[in-house]
Amino acid sequence: MEAQGIAVAEAVGLPYSLKRVRDKGALRLVLARLQLYVSPERLLRSVASNEPLAPPWPHLIISIGRRSVPIALALKQLAKASGAKVFALHIQNPKVPKHRFDLIAAPVHDGYTGDNVINTFGAVHSVTPQHLADAVQSFAARIDPLPRPRIAVLLGGESQAFSFPPDHAAAFGTTLAEAARDSGGSLLVTPSRRTLPESLRTLTAAITGVPHFVWDGTGENPYFAFLASADAIVVTEDSVNMVTEAAGTGKPVYVQRLKGNSRRLHHFHALMRERGATRPFAGKIESWSYAPINDTELVASAIRRALGLETSG
């Protein structure tokens, strides 16, 4: 979620600071939608933040995640009371009346609409040609010797809807190794925080016979370098973010099934297939093209117009 907020902030082009916030004390027991009835001053006293939530107030507040909603609205209310004008954007469905925010950016597969809602195709993200070009330089020595086609593998893991146990990871690794051998290529594998360590170990063991680069979680994450260097990308189905970021490259994206199911993500994946960006992973690597998917600038442009930083024309 944090990456989505940063992506919009960078696209808007204003200097920004990142506030990592969480409820503390009794506030943790109060539902986010009920926190709206707590006075802003009292609410913020019960919020822990890596940086002070105090004046000077910003011109723009970007919030993401349900728990951040009352905090963002409390900041806006205090700023308004002081005479400051603050524009508030929330990313995803805030689960509160729409009018409380100036703008909401929600993915189209959520079916959430309104006059102040911009529907994005998947998640907002920061996959741009410049970002990819910058990222690949740090890992050129490890990636350049690997044969093409290079297949980037973006691993998710455990969530409320899906699981990625070691036996499933081993079978997936075997299929990936066969795809690399059949194509004469190599594998670039990066896990996420939700990937079980044992699942990563079993997958890694299954691909030992083919050229590969597996990030072990230490040092800089080569995630964007892998996207930049890949000829095709395989992503586990549990992450809207990772699939949309992969589709931001315009490269062939394959989706790997996991154990579990989600109606919301099923709709998302159907839309991505209709857009021509993704196909189910069946162990074969092909080539196709489509327009890269990135609606971040759509959201950023609306914010800049509202702040008077660009004209509507």
Side-chain angles (χ1 to χ4, degrees):
M1 291 192 297
E2 189 174 288
Q4 293 186 56
I6 291 172
V8 174
E10 290 178 341
V12 169
L14 293 174
Y16 69 90
S17 62
L18 177 65
K19 314 283 189 180
R20 294 187 175 99
V21 296
R22 61 179 177 82
D23 300 335
K24 63 181 183 180
L27 192 67
R28 291 178 299 175
L29 306 177
V30 181
L31 294 174
R33 68 176 183 273
L34 298 181
Q35 292 180 18
L36 298 178
Y37 300 100
V38 179
S39 70
E41 296 87 349
R42 183 180 176 186
L43 188 142
L44 293 184
R45 285 197 296 269
S46 299
V47 172
S49 176
N50 63 312
E51 292 184 1
L53 302 175
W57 303 117
H59 297 294
L60 169 65
I61 295 173
I62 299 173
S63 55
I64 180 168
R66 201 171 305 168
R67 301 299 291 188
S68 74
V69 166
I71 301 170
L73 293 175
L75 289 170
K76 183 181 180 185
Q77 191 172 340
L78 288 173
K80 184 178 179 181
S82 73
K85 286 191 65 175
V86 176
F87 187 92
L89 163 77
H90 188 76
I91 300 172
Q92 299 180 353
N93 183 347
K95 302 292 186 179
V96 300
K98 298 179 178 71
H99 72 269
R100 287 183 173 266
F101 284 93
D102 298 292
L103 187 67
I104 297 168
V108 66
H109 61 269
D110 278 354
Y112 183 80
T113 59
D115 292 340
N116 64 331
V117 177
I118 290 181
N119 289 123
T120 62
F121 207 90
V124 290
H125 61 79
S126 58
V127 175
T128 62
Q130 186 59 55
H131 194 169
L132 295 180
D134 293 342
V136 76
Q137 297 174 11
S138 300
F139 296 93
R142 291 286 307 273
I143 296 174
D144 286 353
L146 295 174
R148 290 185 180 276
R150 299 184 189 125
I151 306 165
V153 184
L154 314 182
L155 301 177
E158 308 307 299
S159 69
Q160 289 185 341
F162 296 98
S163 65
F164 186 41
D167 60 334
H168 192 104
F172 181 30
T174 298
T175 304
L176 288 169
E178 291 172 355
R181 272 193 292 268
D182 290 346
S183 64
S186 57
L187 300 170
L188 308 171
V189 182
T190 180
S192 71
R193 293 172 182 168
R194 292 181 291 103
T195 309
L196 295 174
E198 183 58 28
S199 295
L200 181 61
R201 282 193 290 271
T202 58
L203 186 146
T204 301
I207 65 172
T208 53
V210 298
H212 64 270
F213 174 4
V214 178
W215 184 53
D216 62 3
T218 61
E220 184 183 354
N221 190 336
Y223 182 88
F224 284 99
F226 283 1
L227 293 180
S229 304
D231 298 293
I233 305 166
V234 182
V235 192
T236 55
E237 69 172 319
D238 54 308
S239 174
V240 171
N241 275 25
M242 290 196 303
V243 173
T244 314
E245 286 169 341
T249 66
K251 298 175 182 180
V253 177
Y254 291 94
V255 177
Q256 168 66 26
R257 285 278 294 129
L258 294 185
K259 294 182 67 175
N261 193 32
S262 164
R263 181 179 299 178
R264 173 176 170 269
L265 265 68
H266 179 79
H267 182 40
F268 163 69
H269 288 301
L271 292 172
M272 293 296 279
R273 289 192 300 271
E274 291 173 10
R275 187 79 173 256
T278 68
R279 297 177 184 178
F281 182 57
K284 297 293 182 182
I285 300 299
E286 299 174 321
S287 180
W288 71 89
S289 61
Y290 56 92
I293 296 173
N294 188 348
D295 284 343
T296 308
E297 179 55 30
L298 183 69
V299 178
S301 181
I303 294 170
R304 288 195 299 268
R305 287 196 301 272
L307 295 178
L309 301 177
E310 69 177 40
T311 63
S312 59

